[in-house]
């Protein structure tokens, strides 16, 4: 398969056009079959009514014959090609047939010419054949039927006998063929029973031509077969044009995305249609994705630039000290070199943790008591400038990574130690269905306008930048990311002592609910 054919086969427009054409084709074929069958049934019904009317007209003439009439020769039979007629007795003997009837089938009596024209009530016995002579027929008629006696009986009591001259209400229909005056055709035959005035029951078979039905059905079928391909071409073409117009914005989006990928310019946006359909929503979603991607890339660039800057300072300081110590060993500042190395190590650990958080690393779901973690971590901070005051409620469990939450507590305590004047407090209590870890200090606090900005990476307020022991601006950013990974929140407000109050709220995992906890939460609120 060539490349052009492969592209056509994989095109949504091509598949939509072919699918629509196939559906329409199936629908049209089904509808065409239904129309043809319905038309055939309707025309067959018309033929049945026409044949029934002709048969009953002949039956009415038979019922009107006087008993002493010598034969059926006086019957008024239809003489047109459209309605061939047969009159037979109950034994299947042909009594009368239409003029010029040359062949007939479907009535059960193939004969087309009666051997004689019997009188009403003088039908031959089933054993008689068409070759019997007239005298024999007269004898049989006299012995078997007694035409005069029956005529006498009928004249005497025919008016009182409901069977005499009665035409049956039931009509049976068959399909067959006939040749009349050299013209062959298909017919629909109606069979009606009638009792003549002599009391004999005969069957009238009258046909109605099915030529009109065949002509109409054939014409309709040919018209549908000729019109179906044209209609399918129209449907396929219209579908192709409509889908082409509908997918034109999609092609514009694709071209713009290809250009953005080639140029790596994430500031570009795909065109948004003015409509409010699925394509327009796709374009808006694509632009929102590009905006988020641009922000993420920009944040990554700033992160790399800031990380490089933060790493440059301790590395440069450490190198300077080592070079001076190499040239003048007596001037080597070993404690300073160790401090720069520790600072560099902490920065590298922070960068590694941020990279893992950005990669979507999920914390473990181990359950532990948050108060016990706080007491353990605070007991190990022996070199803090200001002792930490604890107010911890026992029995409050959370689920997550013990190491990451310990890192959050350490970052919050480090931040409080840098800004506190004389007091740092760590509290653990319950608030509703959450466990709250609060760290407060009596420092200058965080201005309200800066309370969200301090959680950005490498952001430090001016007073923190002036301190020699100031961090790299990653501690609070790491703390908030870890809180989010634990389905919690980290916010900052004003402490009762006037400084900063950081509150880490985590879902409670033990599910306990006591009045003491509720009262404690209300008191702190």
């Amino acid at each position: 398969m060539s490349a052009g054919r492969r592209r056509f086969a994989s095109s949504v427009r091509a598949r939509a056009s072919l699918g629509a054409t196939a559906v329409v084709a199936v629908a049209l074929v089904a509808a065409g079959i239904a129309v043809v069958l319905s038309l055939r049934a309707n025309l067959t019904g018309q033929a049945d009514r026409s044949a029934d009317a002709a048969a009953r007209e002949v039956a009415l003439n038979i019922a009107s014959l006087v008993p002493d009439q010598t034969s059926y020769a006086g019957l008024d039979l239809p003489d047109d090609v459209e309605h061939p007629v047969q009159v037979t007795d109950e034994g299947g003997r042909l009594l009368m047939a239409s003029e010029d009837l040359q062949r007939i089938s479907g009535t059960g009596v193939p004969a087309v010419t009666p051997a004689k024209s019997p009188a009403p009530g003088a039908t031959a016995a089933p054993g008689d054949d068409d070759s019997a002579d007239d005298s024999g027929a007269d004898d049989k008629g006299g012995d078997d039927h007694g035409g005069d006696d029956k005529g006498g009986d009928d004249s005497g009591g025919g008016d009182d006998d409901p069977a005499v001259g009665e035409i049956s209400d039931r009509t049976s229909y068959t399909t067959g063929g006939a040749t009349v005056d050299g013209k062959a055709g298909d017919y629909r035959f109606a069979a009606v029973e009638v009792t003549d005035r002599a009391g004999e029951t005969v069957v009238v078979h009258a046909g109605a031509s099915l030529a009109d039905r065949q002509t109409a059905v054939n014409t309709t079928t040919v018209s549908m077969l000729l019109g179906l391909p044209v209609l399918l071409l129209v449907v396929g073409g219209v579908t192709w044009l409509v889908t082409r117009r509908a997918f034109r914005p999609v092609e514009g989006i694709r071209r713009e995305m290809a250009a953005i990928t080639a140029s790596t310019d994430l500031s570009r946006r795909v065109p948004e249609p003015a409509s409010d359909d699925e394509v327009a929503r796709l374009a808006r979603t694509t632009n929102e994705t590009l905006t988020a991607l641009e922000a993420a890339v920009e944040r990554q660039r700033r992160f790399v630039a800031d990380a490089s800057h933060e790493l440059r300072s301790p590395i440069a300081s450490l190198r300077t000290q080592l070079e001076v110590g190499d040239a003048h060993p007596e001037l080597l500042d070993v404690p300073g070199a160790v401090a720069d190395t520790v600072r560099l190590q902490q920065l590298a650990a922070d960068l590694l943790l941020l990279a893992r958080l950005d990669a979507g690393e999920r914390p473990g779901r181990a359950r532990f008591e948050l108060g016990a973690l706080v007491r353990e971590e605070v007991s190990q901070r022996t070199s803090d400038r200001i002792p930490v005051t604890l107010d911890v409620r026992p029995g409050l469990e959370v689920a997550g990574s013990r190491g990451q939450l310990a890192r959050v507590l350490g970052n919050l305590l480090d931040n409080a130690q840098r800004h506190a004047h004389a007091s740092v407090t760590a509290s653990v209590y319950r608030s509703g269905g959450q466990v709250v870890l609060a760290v407060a200090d009596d420092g200058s606090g965080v201005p309200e306008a800066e309370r969200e900005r301090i959680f950005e990476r490498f952001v430090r307020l001016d007073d923190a930048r002036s301190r020699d022991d100031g961090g790299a601006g990653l501690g609070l950013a790491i703390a908030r990311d870890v809180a989010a990974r634990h389905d919690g929140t980290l916010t900052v407000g004003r402490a009762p002592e006037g400084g900063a109050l950081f509150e880490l709220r985590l879902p409670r995992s033990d599910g306990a609910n006591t009045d003491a906890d509720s009262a404690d939460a209300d008191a702190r609120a």
Side-chain angles (χ1 to χ4, degrees):
M1 182 182 293
S2 63
R5 290 183 179 179
R6 285 196 298 269
R7 284 194 299 270
F8 177 81
S10 62
S11 171
V12 175
R13 282 188 297 163
R15 293 198 298 270
S17 300
L18 293 176
T21 304
V23 170
V24 172
V26 173
L28 289 178
V29 170
I33 293 175
V35 168
V36 170
L37 293 178
S38 177
L39 178 63
R40 183 185 178 91
N42 288 335
L43 293 178
T44 301
Q46 292 180 8
D48 287 344
R49 289 189 291 272
S50 178
D52 181 66
R56 291 187 179 277
E57 181 180 357
V58 175
L60 182 62
N61 292 335
I62 294 175
S64 301
L65 289 176
V66 296
D68 58 350
Q69 192 167 349
T70 58
S71 70
Y72 287 100
L75 285 177
D76 184 15
L77 299 181
D79 58 358
D80 56 352
V81 179
E82 296 294 327
H83 298 91
V85 175
Q86 275 185 329
V87 180
T88 64
D89 61 12
E90 290 182 307
R93 182 179 180 84
L94 180 66
L95 303 178
M96 192 69 181
S98 296
E99 187 180 357
D100 297 327
L101 179 61
Q102 301 168 347
R103 181 188 63 84
I104 192 168
S105 63
T107 62
V109 181
V112 295
T113 303
K116 59 184 178 178
S117 299
T123 55
D128 294 337
D129 55 24
D130 292 341
S131 63
D133 56 19
D134 292 340
S135 60
D138 292 339
D139 293 340
K140 289 180 181 290
D143 293 340
D144 295 340
H145 301 288
D148 292 339
D149 292 341
K150 286 188 177 290
D153 293 342
D154 180 63
S155 62
D159 293 336
D160 298 331
D161 188 355
V164 174
E166 182 181 3
I167 300 175
S168 175
D169 293 333
R170 297 179 58 186
T171 304
S172 59
Y173 300 94
T174 57
T175 301
T179 301
V180 181
D181 196 16
K183 297 181 180 179
D186 295 329
Y187 288 84
R188 186 73 170 168
F189 292 100
V192 177
E193 291 185 353
V194 58
T195 304
D196 59 20
R197 291 291 180 176
E200 296 296 333
T201 300
V202 297
V203 181
V204 179
H205 298 275
S209 177
L210 294 177
D212 292 340
R213 186 191 74 172
Q214 296 298 335
T215 301
V217 170
N218 292 338
T219 302
T220 302
T221 302
V222 171
S223 300
M224 288 183 176
L225 291 178
L226 293 178
L228 181 61
V230 177
L231 185 58
L232 292 181
L233 287 176
V234 172
V235 170
V238 171
T239 305
W240 176 269
L241 294 177
V242 170
T243 53
R244 179 181 180 182
R245 181 179 181 84
F247 282 107
R248 188 175 299 165
V250 178
E251 179 62 20
I253 294 174
R254 187 202 65 79
R255 286 197 299 266
E256 187 63 24
M257 289 298 293
I260 293 174
T261 302
S263 63
T264 66
D265 183 7
L266 296 178
S267 63
R268 300 174 61 172
R269 297 293 181 267
V270 301
E272 295 186 12
S275 59
D276 191 22
D277 54 11
E278 292 82 356
V279 177
R281 291 194 290 270
L282 172 64
R284 286 194 290 271
T285 303
T286 302
N287 285 334
E288 292 172 359
T289 302
L290 289 173
T291 300
L293 182 60
E294 181 184 15
V297 171
E298 182 62 27
R299 185 169 59 251
Q300 187 70 18
R301 289 174 179 172
R302 290 198 309 268
F303 177 78
V304 173
D306 292 340
S308 301
H309 175 74
E310 294 295 334
L311 289 172
R312 185 182 301 114
S313 296
I315 292 176
S317 175
L318 182 59
R319 177 179 178 180
T320 300
Q321 294 182 54
L322 292 177
E323 289 178 347
V324 170
D326 182 59
H328 305 282
E330 68 280 2
L331 300 178
L332 177 61
D333 184 8
V334 176
V338 172
D340 287 338
T341 302
V342 172
R343 182 183 174 189
L344 183 62
Q345 183 181 15
Q346 292 176 345
L347 182 57
D350 289 344
L351 294 176
L352 179 60
L353 179 57
L354 283 175
R356 286 160 47 193
L357 294 175
D358 289 341
E361 178 182 304
R362 302 296 299 178
R365 304 308 298 174
R367 291 173 53 178
F368 56 90
E369 185 181 343
L370 186 60
L373 172 65
V374 172
R375 286 191 294 267
E376 180 181 347
E377 292 296 319
V378 170
S379 64
Q380 297 177 3
R381 299 176 64 92
T382 58
S383 60
D384 283 346
R385 180 174 60 91
I386 300 174
V388 178
T389 302
L390 293 179
D391 182 12
V392 176
R393 295 285 179 174
L396 300 179
E397 292 187 350
V398 297
S401 172
R402 185 183 181 93
Q404 291 185 6
L405 292 179
R407 183 67 174 276
V408 171
L409 174 62
N411 290 348
L412 295 179
L413 291 176
D414 289 342
N415 181 78
Q417 291 290 335
R418 283 194 294 269
H419 298 87
H421 296 310
S423 173
V424 174
T425 303
S427 306
V428 176
Y429 59 92
R430 180 184 180 275
S431 176
Q434 295 179 321
V435 178
V436 181
L437 168 61
V439 176
D441 62 72
D442 60 348
S444 57
V446 180
E448 188 173 355
E450 303 288 343
R451 288 179 181 175
E452 285 299 318
R453 182 170 171 265
I454 62 173
F455 291 106
E456 297 179 5
R457 298 176 183 183
F458 297 107
V459 171
R460 292 175 296 185
L461 301 184
D462 292 339
D463 60 344
R465 289 183 179 273
S466 63
R467 295 177 180 269
D468 293 336
D469 59 347
L474 293 177
L476 296 180
I478 292 175
R480 172 163 279 190
D481 284 350
V482 171
R485 294 298 189 279
H486 285 74
D487 300 323
T489 60
L490 178 61
T491 58
V492 61
R494 184 175 182 83
E497 297 83 0
L501 172 63
F502 288 87
E503 289 183 328
L504 171 65
R505 295 178 176 268
L506 300 173
R508 189 177 181 185
S509 65
D510 56 0
N513 188 6
T514 62
D515 295 338
D517 287 335
S518 301
D520 178 69
D522 294 337
R524 291 179 182 276

Tab-separated table of all heavy atoms in Angstrom, residues 239-266:
chain	number	residue	atom	x	y	z
A	239	THR	N	-20.416	14.080	3.353
A	239	THR	CA	-19.752	13.762	4.624
A	239	THR	C	-18.288	14.170	4.600
A	239	THR	O	-17.754	14.708	5.586
A	239	THR	CB	-19.878	12.258	4.919
A	239	THR	OG1	-21.245	11.878	4.893
A	239	THR	CG2	-19.284	11.924	6.275
A	240	TRP	N	-17.634	13.929	3.464
A	240	TRP	CA	-16.230	14.318	3.330
A	240	TRP	C	-16.065	15.830	3.477
A	240	TRP	O	-15.177	16.302	4.184
A	240	TRP	CB	-15.701	13.836	1.982
A	240	TRP	CG	-14.292	14.256	1.698
A	240	TRP	CD1	-13.871	15.390	1.046
A	240	TRP	CD2	-13.096	13.564	2.070
A	240	TRP	NE1	-12.507	15.426	0.990
A	240	TRP	CE2	-12.006	14.329	1.611
A	240	TRP	CE3	-12.862	12.378	2.748
A	240	TRP	CZ2	-10.696	13.934	1.792
A	240	TRP	CZ3	-11.551	11.987	2.931
A	240	TRP	CH2	-10.494	12.752	2.461
A	241	LEU	N	-16.941	16.590	2.812
A	241	LEU	CA	-16.836	18.047	2.878
A	241	LEU	C	-17.171	18.565	4.276
A	241	LEU	O	-16.497	19.471	4.788
A	241	LEU	CB	-17.766	18.682	1.846
A	241	LEU	CG	-17.413	18.420	0.372
A	241	LEU	CD1	-18.456	19.052	-0.539
A	241	LEU	CD2	-16.027	18.954	0.039
A	242	VAL	N	-18.205	17.988	4.886
A	242	VAL	CA	-18.599	18.457	6.219
A	242	VAL	C	-17.514	18.152	7.246
A	242	VAL	O	-17.153	18.999	8.071
A	242	VAL	CB	-19.940	17.814	6.628
A	242	VAL	CG1	-20.250	18.099	8.092
A	242	VAL	CG2	-21.067	18.344	5.749
A	243	THR	N	-16.989	16.920	7.193
A	243	THR	CA	-15.924	16.578	8.149
A	243	THR	C	-14.655	17.371	7.874
A	243	THR	O	-13.913	17.705	8.806
A	243	THR	CB	-15.620	15.077	8.086
A	243	THR	OG1	-15.353	14.698	6.716
A	243	THR	CG2	-16.795	14.265	8.599
A	244	ARG	N	-14.408	17.673	6.622
A	244	ARG	CA	-13.238	18.495	6.307
A	244	ARG	C	-13.370	19.871	6.932
A	244	ARG	O	-12.412	20.398	7.518
A	244	ARG	CB	-13.096	18.621	4.797
A	244	ARG	CG	-11.908	19.480	4.371
A	244	ARG	CD	-11.841	19.571	2.852
A	244	ARG	NE	-10.711	20.385	2.430
A	244	ARG	CZ	-10.425	20.670	1.160
A	244	ARG	NH1	-11.209	20.184	0.194
A	244	ARG	NH2	-9.381	21.413	0.853
A	245	ARG	N	-14.556	20.437	6.825
A	245	ARG	CA	-14.778	21.747	7.437
A	245	ARG	C	-14.729	21.654	8.962
A	245	ARG	O	-14.194	22.539	9.639
A	245	ARG	CB	-16.131	22.291	6.986
A	245	ARG	CG	-16.459	23.681	7.542
A	245	ARG	CD	-17.819	24.159	7.036
A	245	ARG	NE	-18.141	25.473	7.537
A	245	ARG	CZ	-17.736	26.609	7.013
A	245	ARG	NH1	-16.992	26.588	5.918
A	245	ARG	NH2	-18.080	27.772	7.527
A	246	ALA	N	-15.292	20.555	9.498
A	246	ALA	CA	-15.314	20.408	10.956
A	246	ALA	C	-13.917	20.189	11.524
A	246	ALA	O	-13.604	20.659	12.626
A	246	ALA	CB	-16.229	19.242	11.348
A	247	PHE	N	-13.066	19.463	10.771
A	247	PHE	CA	-11.723	19.152	11.271
A	247	PHE	C	-10.676	20.189	10.862
A	247	PHE	O	-9.501	20.013	11.185
A	247	PHE	CB	-11.285	17.769	10.771
A	247	PHE	CG	-11.899	16.643	11.531
A	247	PHE	CD1	-12.906	15.860	10.968
A	247	PHE	CD2	-11.510	16.362	12.825
A	247	PHE	CE1	-13.488	14.827	11.668
A	247	PHE	CE2	-12.084	15.325	13.530
A	247	PHE	CZ	-13.075	14.557	12.952
A	248	ARG	N	-11.094	21.227	10.173
A	248	ARG	CA	-10.129	22.258	9.795
A	248	ARG	C	-9.479	22.903	11.022
A	248	ARG	O	-8.258	23.099	11.047
A	248	ARG	CB	-10.821	23.303	8.921
A	248	ARG	CG	-9.855	24.330	8.317
A	248	ARG	CD	-10.610	25.245	7.370
A	248	ARG	NE	-11.202	24.481	6.279
A	248	ARG	CZ	-12.146	24.959	5.473
A	248	ARG	NH1	-12.614	26.189	5.656
A	248	ARG	NH2	-12.621	24.220	4.502
A	249	PRO	N	-10.259	23.243	12.085
A	249	PRO	CA	-9.592	23.768	13.290
A	249	PRO	C	-8.645	22.758	13.928
A	249	PRO	O	-7.612	23.139	14.487
A	249	PRO	CB	-10.770	24.102	14.220
A	249	PRO	CG	-11.947	24.270	13.324
A	249	PRO	CD	-11.719	23.314	12.199
A	250	VAL	N	-8.989	21.476	13.858
A	250	VAL	CA	-8.095	20.458	14.420
A	250	VAL	C	-6.774	20.434	13.669
A	250	VAL	O	-5.695	20.306	14.271
A	250	VAL	CB	-8.777	19.075	14.371
A	250	VAL	CG1	-7.840	17.993	14.898
A	250	VAL	CG2	-10.065	19.093	15.180
A	251	GLU	N	-6.839	20.578	12.360
A	251	GLU	CA	-5.607	20.621	11.577
A	251	GLU	C	-4.786	21.853	11.937
A	251	GLU	O	-3.556	21.804	12.006
A	251	GLU	CB	-5.959	20.620	10.081
A	251	GLU	CG	-4.752	20.686	9.152
A	251	GLU	CD	-3.818	19.495	9.295
A	251	GLU	OE1	-4.266	18.443	9.805
A	251	GLU	OE2	-2.643	19.626	8.917
A	252	GLY	N	-5.488	22.978	12.189
A	252	GLY	CA	-4.765	24.173	12.636
A	252	GLY	C	-4.079	23.954	13.971
A	252	GLY	O	-2.942	24.390	14.186
A	253	ILE	N	-4.758	23.265	14.888
A	253	ILE	CA	-4.150	22.957	16.183
A	253	ILE	C	-2.937	22.053	15.994
A	253	ILE	O	-1.888	22.255	16.619
A	253	ILE	CB	-5.191	22.306	17.103
A	253	ILE	CG1	-6.310	23.288	17.446
A	253	ILE	CG2	-4.539	21.786	18.380
A	253	ILE	CD1	-7.454	22.669	18.230
A	254	ARG	N	-3.071	21.062	15.118
A	254	ARG	CA	-1.956	20.143	14.884
A	254	ARG	C	-0.747	20.867	14.312
A	254	ARG	O	0.396	20.648	14.751
A	254	ARG	CB	-2.404	19.036	13.929
A	254	ARG	CG	-1.354	17.931	13.753
A	254	ARG	CD	-1.568	17.170	12.478
A	254	ARG	NE	-1.369	18.021	11.315
A	254	ARG	CZ	-0.175	18.355	10.832
A	254	ARG	NH1	0.933	17.925	11.411
A	254	ARG	NH2	-0.075	19.134	9.771
A	255	ARG	N	-0.976	21.745	13.334
A	255	ARG	CA	0.149	22.477	12.733
A	255	ARG	C	0.837	23.371	13.766
A	255	ARG	O	2.075	23.458	13.800
A	255	ARG	CB	-0.351	23.305	11.557
A	255	ARG	CG	-0.683	22.504	10.307
A	255	ARG	CD	-0.761	23.393	9.085
A	255	ARG	NE	-1.802	24.394	9.247
A	255	ARG	CZ	-3.057	24.271	8.806
A	255	ARG	NH1	-3.423	23.150	8.192
A	255	ARG	NH2	-3.946	25.222	8.980
A	256	GLU	N	0.030	24.031	14.592
A	256	GLU	CA	0.632	24.919	15.589
A	256	GLU	C	1.410	24.124	16.638
A	256	GLU	O	2.495	24.543	17.067
A	256	GLU	CB	-0.458	25.749	16.258
A	256	GLU	CG	0.061	26.826	17.204
A	256	GLU	CD	0.892	27.876	16.494
A	256	GLU	OE1	0.707	28.062	15.272
A	256	GLU	OE2	1.739	28.508	17.167
A	257	MET	N	0.881	22.977	17.044
A	257	MET	CA	1.601	22.134	17.994
A	257	MET	C	2.898	21.618	17.394
A	257	MET	O	3.932	21.540	18.075
A	257	MET	CB	0.717	20.967	18.423
A	257	MET	CG	-0.444	21.355	19.328
A	257	MET	SD	0.089	22.064	20.898
A	257	MET	CE	0.865	20.657	21.646
A	258	ALA	N	2.854	21.270	16.096
A	258	ALA	CA	4.087	20.838	15.442
A	258	ALA	C	5.105	21.969	15.402
A	258	ALA	O	6.308	21.751	15.614
A	258	ALA	CB	3.779	20.341	14.026
A	259	ALA	N	4.624	23.195	15.143
A	259	ALA	CA	5.543	24.345	15.117
A	259	ALA	C	6.109	24.624	16.505
A	259	ALA	O	7.294	24.947	16.657
A	259	ALA	CB	4.803	25.575	14.581
A	260	ILE	N	5.279	24.481	17.549
A	260	ILE	CA	5.761	24.695	18.917
A	260	ILE	C	6.806	23.648	19.282
A	260	ILE	O	7.836	23.958	19.894
A	260	ILE	CB	4.574	24.656	19.895
A	260	ILE	CG1	3.659	25.854	19.661
A	260	ILE	CG2	5.067	24.637	21.338
A	260	ILE	CD1	2.389	25.822	20.478
A	261	THR	N	6.553	22.404	18.870
A	261	THR	CA	7.520	21.343	19.165
A	261	THR	C	8.841	21.593	18.453
A	261	THR	O	9.917	21.375	19.031
A	261	THR	CB	6.941	19.989	18.733
A	261	THR	OG1	5.703	19.774	19.416
A	261	THR	CG2	7.901	18.861	19.054
A	262	ALA	N	8.757	22.056	17.205
A	262	ALA	CA	9.987	22.302	16.446
A	262	ALA	C	10.758	23.496	16.978
A	262	ALA	O	11.990	23.493	16.993
A	262	ALA	CB	9.654	22.492	14.964
A	263	SER	N	10.044	24.540	17.426
A	263	SER	CA	10.726	25.763	17.871
A	263	SER	C	11.001	25.781	19.363
A	263	SER	O	11.757	26.648	19.826
A	263	SER	CB	9.867	26.986	17.510
A	263	SER	OG	8.628	26.949	18.198
A	264	THR	N	10.372	24.865	20.134
A	264	THR	CA	10.481	24.836	21.601
A	264	THR	C	10.061	26.169	22.229
A	264	THR	O	10.520	26.517	23.308
A	264	THR	CB	11.900	24.469	22.053
A	264	THR	OG1	12.808	25.504	21.668
A	264	THR	CG2	12.337	23.138	21.465
A	265	ASP	N	9.208	26.913	21.524
A	265	ASP	CA	8.708	28.178	22.046
A	265	ASP	C	7.359	27.922	22.709
A	265	ASP	O	6.319	27.870	22.045
A	265	ASP	CB	8.563	29.194	20.907
A	265	ASP	CG	8.112	30.561	21.425
A	265	ASP	OD1	8.052	30.729	22.670
A	265	ASP	OD2	7.807	31.441	20.598
A	266	LEU	N	7.383	27.761	24.007
A	266	LEU	CA	6.157	27.427	24.730
A	266	LEU	C	5.263	28.624	24.974
A	266	LEU	O	4.186	28.483	25.550
A	266	LEU	CB	6.512	26.779	26.072
A	266	LEU	CG	7.242	25.438	25.979
A	266	LEU	CD1	7.568	24.932	27.373
A	266	LEU	CD2	6.404	24.424	25.222
